[in-house]
């Protein structure tokens, strides 16, 4: 089986493949006029290869032949439009780009399964390790953490504020550094630095050292570079469910952390140290080990898995061709930049000023506020109403388990109905009645009734994976995607305020965002549909618009 690949459309030669079916069978997978916008073209044929058909794809072809052609139609099948969407010459995977490449459902299914084990599991392990350290401050609160350090609840609140401010200040710089040196280098560095600071909390002495550590942890926290690392390997319809599984791993890690905390807090007095100090030390060391291993498990790109410690790489040449071409057919903008290419000030400013993504930024700012305080202060609340240290840690597990289920279901629903704004609104809609119930409770509630209500609240369907994928999808370009992901992630007093914010989200922000994107799509379609084929070709060949500023781009909603 041989394949000819090259960097320019003029040099492209047909691909010879050992399929019994001709390339013309591609048309039977889903014909559509190539004059349509790319957003429509790349969604014509959904993936047929995931390990659970009903979960990872939205549409199915009845009983597809596993040896049928699985290649999706795209702008690269139109000789007039293809040159306008060609990857840059320094795109790191250009040597595997081939518009004539074809592959079967059987090949694609096997490849995606391999990607899940090699790429998704590795990233999920790194993220889970981080969440060991992120959750341990809450578990330490169930012990004598505040009392031993002479801290008040106000000091703890200040520490949370310092953490979030540092996190927000580092969000954009972290994304820019990742784009310049590559997430395969930056993410393991962040995990290692984070774990060193986390384990150093073993030696906390008081208020100042506590606040300094919170600031450093916020600044060094690996941000959205972990999930955005996947965009070179997966198509946009594969990404949301995998993002959901990514954050489900965080919940699973929270469950494991509760059991670890149950054990380590029993070490109170060992070597004269409090149990919460051993909690920070042990979990910090575990995270450091995983961070070190991450240096050897995160490749720069689909075609750069060979290295001195992995001389044969992870993928064959055939698999690399399929990976590169299926991702570019799904989203041609992924060939806009090299994976070690930094952003210019001009491109950065253009991305920041992308007002079409401001509605999603506002949602990112507000959607998690109503359920944030109950989650942050859960262990303190449970201790205050009478549960002991060890019961408190175990009582955090039910909401983690239920949260995994609801997150998975809500993401599945979003992908099944191809809807984001209304489905993402369900998180706040779920939270609202529980907040009202908490607001109506007496000041000395029955501990178990309080536990049931708080657990119900914290079992909400977490829609962050949907919204991260939504933001990435609507960015429309690699440069924009890097900045927009960080801006989206940029955030809390009293149940009454939380209820008000929840109502604003449900009644105005989510419906308004959907209405805005529908209106913007109608605006562009009116102009685009009025153009002749010649006018479209001229526009594509001369326009300076990039990403979601182009007339042929359509926003997801």
């Amino acid at each position: 089986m041989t394949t000819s690949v090259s960097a320019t459309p003029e040099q492209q030669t047909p691909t010879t493949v050992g399929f019994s079916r001709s390339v013309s069978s591609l048309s039977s997978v889903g014909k559509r006029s190539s004059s349509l916008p790319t957003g429509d073209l790349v969604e014509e044929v959904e993936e047929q290869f995931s390990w659970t058909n009903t979960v990872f794809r939205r549409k199915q072809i009845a009983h597809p032949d596993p040896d049928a052609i699985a290649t999706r139609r795209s702008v690269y099948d139109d000789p007039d439009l293809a040159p306008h969407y060609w990857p840059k010459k320094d795109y790191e995977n250009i040597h595997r780009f081939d518009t004539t490449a074809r592959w079967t459902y059987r090949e694609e299914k096997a490849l995606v399964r391999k990607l899940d084990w090699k790429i998704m599991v590795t990233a999920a392990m790194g993220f889970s390790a981080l969440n060991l350290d992120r959750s341990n401050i809450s578990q330490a609160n169930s012990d004598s953490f505040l009392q031993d350090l002479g801290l008040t609840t106000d000091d703890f609140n200040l520490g949370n504020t310092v953490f979030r401010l540092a996190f927000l200040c580092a969000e954009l710089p972290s994304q820019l550094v990742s784009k310049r040196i590559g997430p395969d280098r930056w993410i393991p560095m962040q995990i290692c630095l984070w774990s060193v600071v986390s384990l150093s909390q073993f030696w906390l002495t008081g208020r100042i050292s506590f606040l300094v550590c919170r600031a450093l942890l916020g600044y060094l926290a690996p941000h959205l570079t972990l999930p955005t690392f996947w965009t070179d390997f997966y198509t946009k319809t594969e990404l949301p469910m995998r993002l959901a599984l990514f954050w489900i791993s965080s919940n699973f890690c929270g469950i494991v952390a509760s059991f670890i905390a149950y054990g380590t807090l029993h070490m109170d007095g060992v070597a004269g140290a409090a149990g919460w100090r051993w909690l920070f030390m042990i979990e910090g060391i575990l995270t450091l080990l995983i961070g070190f291993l991450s240096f050897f498990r995160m490749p720069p790109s689909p075609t750069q898995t060979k290295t001195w410690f992995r001389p044969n790489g992870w993928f064959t040449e055939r698999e690399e061709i399929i990976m590169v071409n299926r991702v570019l057919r799904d989203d041609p903008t992924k060939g806009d930049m090299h994976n070690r290419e930094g952003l210019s000030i001009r491109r950065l400013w253009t991305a920041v000023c992308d007002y079409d993504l401001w509605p999603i930024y506002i949602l990112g700012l507000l959607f998690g506020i109503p359920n944030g305080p109950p989650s942050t202060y859960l262990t303190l609340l449970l201790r205050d109403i009478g549960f002991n240290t060890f019961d408190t840690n175990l009582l955090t597990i039910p909401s983690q388990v239920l949260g995994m289920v609801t997150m998975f279901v809500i993401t599945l629903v979003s992908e099944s109905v191809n809807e984001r704004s209304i489905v993402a609104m369900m998180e706040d809609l779920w939270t609202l009645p529980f907040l009202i119930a908490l607001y109506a409770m007496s000041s000395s509630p029955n501990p178990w009734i309080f536990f049931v209500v708080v657990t119900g609240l914290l079992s909400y369907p977490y829609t962050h994976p949907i919204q991260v994928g939504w933001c990435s999808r609507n960015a429309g370009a690699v440069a924009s995607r890097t900045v927009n992901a960080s801006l989206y992630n940029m955030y809390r007093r009293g149940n009454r305020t939380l209820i008000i914010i929840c109502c604003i989200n449900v009644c105005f922000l989510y419906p308004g965002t959907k209405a805005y994107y529908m209106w913007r799509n109608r605006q562009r379609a009116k102009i685009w549909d009025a153009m002749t084929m010649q006018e479209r070709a001229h526009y594509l060949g001369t326009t300076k618009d990039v990403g979601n500023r182009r007339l042929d781009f359509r926003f997801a909603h």
Side-chain angles (χ1 to χ4, degrees):
M1 189 178 293
T2 60
T3 305
S4 173
V5 292
S6 60
T8 61
E10 292 80 3
Q11 299 170 337
Q12 220 51 130
T13 58
T15 301
T16 305
V17 292
F19 301 146
S20 59
R21 302 172 186 273
S22 70
V23 172
S24 62
S25 65
L26 176 64
S27 61
S28 66
V29 180
K31 276 191 174 181
R32 209 166 189 177
S33 168
S34 59
S35 63
L36 288 176
T38 45
D40 290 332
L41 279 171
V42 296
E43 286 189 3
E44 177 59 34
V45 184
E46 299 301 328
E47 285 77 356
Q48 311 295 322
F49 41 77
S50 57
W51 53 268
T52 306
N53 292 345
T54 57
V55 171
F56 284 86
R57 66 171 180 263
R58 205 183 293 129
K59 302 175 185 175
Q60 298 182 32
I61 296 177
H63 308 293
D65 182 344
D67 293 315
I69 300 297
T71 312
R72 303 175 61 169
R73 286 182 60 83
S74 79
V75 290
Y76 297 121
D77 298 312
D78 188 308
D80 296 322
L81 294 178
H84 304 298
Y85 295 91
W86 219 257
K88 291 181 62 175
K89 292 181 179 180
D90 59 351
Y91 172 54
E92 67 275 8
N93 302 313
I94 192 69
H95 60 295
R96 298 291 188 237
F97 177 61
D98 181 1
T99 61
T100 63
R102 300 293 181 262
W103 53 90
T104 65
Y105 292 109
R106 188 191 305 276
E107 288 181 296
E108 196 161 33
K109 180 178 179 180
L111 175 60
V112 173
R113 187 182 295 115
K114 190 173 182 178
L115 284 172
D116 287 341
W117 282 109
K118 298 289 188 182
I119 304 300
M120 191 182 80
V121 172
T122 298
M125 286 178 60
F127 188 63
S128 296
L130 287 170
N131 279 286
L132 279 176
D133 292 342
R134 283 181 177 175
S135 61
N136 58 22
I137 186 68
S138 179
Q139 293 151 353
N141 269 335
S142 68
D143 197 21
S144 56
F145 176 73
L146 296 182
Q147 297 90 328
D148 289 353
L149 294 179
L151 301 177
T152 65
T153 304
D154 287 340
D155 293 328
F156 179 69
N157 293 340
L158 178 59
N160 283 329
T161 302
V162 168
F163 176 88
R164 290 191 175 91
L165 285 175
F167 184 93
L168 295 180
C169 290
E171 183 67 52
L172 183 56
S174 177
Q175 291 286 346
L176 296 178
V177 172
S178 176
K179 192 70 191 77
R180 184 66 183 87
I181 70 174
D184 56 298
R185 298 170 179 169
W186 183 233
I187 292 172
M189 289 171 59
Q190 285 183 294
I191 296 176
C192 290
L193 290 171
W194 161 282
S195 60
V196 168
V197 176
S198 182
L199 68 86
S200 70
Q201 292 177 105
F202 180 91
W203 294 282
L204 288 178
T205 57
R207 186 172 184 268
I208 299 301
S209 58
F210 168 69
L211 294 177
V212 170
C213 277
R214 298 313 293 168
L216 289 174
L217 288 171
Y219 196 80
L220 294 173
H223 301 76
L224 280 177
T225 45
L226 267 169
T228 53
F229 165 70
W230 291 351
T231 57
D232 286 341
F233 298 89
Y234 292 108
T235 64
K236 64 177 181 291
T237 50
E238 294 168 351
L239 199 57
M241 279 308 306
R242 283 164 176 81
L243 286 172
L245 292 175
F246 181 76
W247 268 284
I248 284 174
S249 71
S250 170
N251 284 41
F252 178 77
C253 181
I255 296 170
V256 173
S258 295
F259 286 111
I260 293 176
Y262 184 85
T264 54
L265 292 178
H266 275 90
M267 295 175 65
D268 189 48
V270 174
W276 60 265
R277 294 185 185 274
W278 289 113
L279 179 68
F280 287 133
M281 174 64 75
I282 292 171
E283 293 188 348
I285 291 174
L286 288 174
T287 304
L288 181 60
L289 291 174
I290 293 176
F292 178 74
L293 292 175
S294 297
F295 280 105
F296 304 95
R297 295 289 300 176
M298 301 191 76
S301 77
T303 62
Q304 296 174 309
T305 61
K306 292 182 180 180
T307 183
W308 63 269
F309 55 84
R310 194 168 49 235
N312 296 324
W314 281 342
F315 307 106
T316 65
E317 178 181 334
R318 175 68 181 161
E319 288 173 330
E320 290 180 355
I321 290 170
I322 296 173
M323 273 192 294
V324 171
N325 287 280
R326 75 189 199 94
V327 166
L328 289 179
R329 280 178 170 272
D330 175 75
D331 184 355
T333 65
K334 290 181 180 178
D336 285 351
M337 295 185 73
H338 189 273
N339 63 353
R340 297 279 194 262
E341 183 180 350
L343 291 179
S344 66
I345 298 298
R346 181 175 181 179
R347 294 196 76 172
L348 173 62
W349 182 247
T350 299
V352 171
C353 295
D354 187 355
Y355 56 82
D356 281 319
L357 286 175
W358 290 356
I360 299 182
Y361 300 160
I362 296 172
L363 291 177
L365 181 69
L366 296 177
F367 89 101
I369 292 179
N371 46 53
S375 177
T376 301
Y377 297 98
L378 177 60
T379 53
L380 279 177
L381 292 170
L382 292 177
R383 285 301 310 275
D384 285 346
I385 62 174
F387 293 105
N388 64 36
T389 295
F390 307 110
D391 289 343
T392 292
N393 280 285
L394 295 179
L395 288 175
T396 63
I397 294 176
S399 60
Q400 299 274 6
V401 174
L402 293 172
M404 292 167 66
V405 175
T406 56
M407 187 196 310
F408 186 83
V409 170
I410 200 69
T411 309
L412 173 58
V413 169
S414 176
E415 287 303 291
S416 298
V417 301
N418 192 20
E419 170 60 52
R420 290 152 200 87
S421 48
I422 302 302
V423 174
M425 184 177 70
M426 294 301 108
E427 177 175 331
D428 285 307
L429 203 57
W430 175 292
T431 302
L432 184 57
F434 290 104
L435 285 176
I436 294 173
L438 286 176
Y439 180 71
M441 275 188 180
S442 67
S443 58
S444 301
N446 178 286
W448 288 107
I449 293 177
F450 178 84
F451 164 72
V452 169
V453 173
V454 172
T455 297
L457 189 158
L458 295 179
S459 301
Y460 59 87
Y462 190 44
T463 59
H464 188 49
I466 297 173
Q467 298 185 168
V468 169
W470 186 13
C471 183
S472 175
R473 199 164 182 163
N474 281 354
V478 175
S480 300
R481 196 172 288 126
T482 300
V483 179
N484 300 143
S486 61
L487 292 179
Y488 161 76
N489 210 38
M490 295 186 178
Y491 332 74
R492 284 169 160 149
R493 198 165 178 173
N495 282 330
R496 182 183 300 174
T497 303
L498 299 181
I499 292 170
I500 292 172
I501 294 173
C502 204
C503 290
I504 291 173
N505 291 345
V506 170
C507 298
F508 300 103
L509 289 183
Y510 281 103
T513 298
K514 183 175 183 67
Y516 175 77
Y517 285 132
M518 292 175 67
W519 172 69
R520 290 290 284 153
N521 285 347
R522 285 196 300 269
Q523 272 190 320
R524 294 184 178 188
K526 184 177 181 180
I527 300 172
W528 184 261
D529 294 344
M531 289 182 175
T532 65
M533 286 295 295
Q534 292 75 20
E535 289 173 330
R536 290 174 181 174
H538 176 74
Y539 168 79
L540 293 172
T542 60
T543 184
K544 296 187 183 299
D545 296 335
V546 295
N548 63 11
R549 313 311 299 168
R550 293 167 62 117
L551 287 176
D552 59 337
F553 183 89
R554 298 295 178 267
F555 294 100
H557 54 79

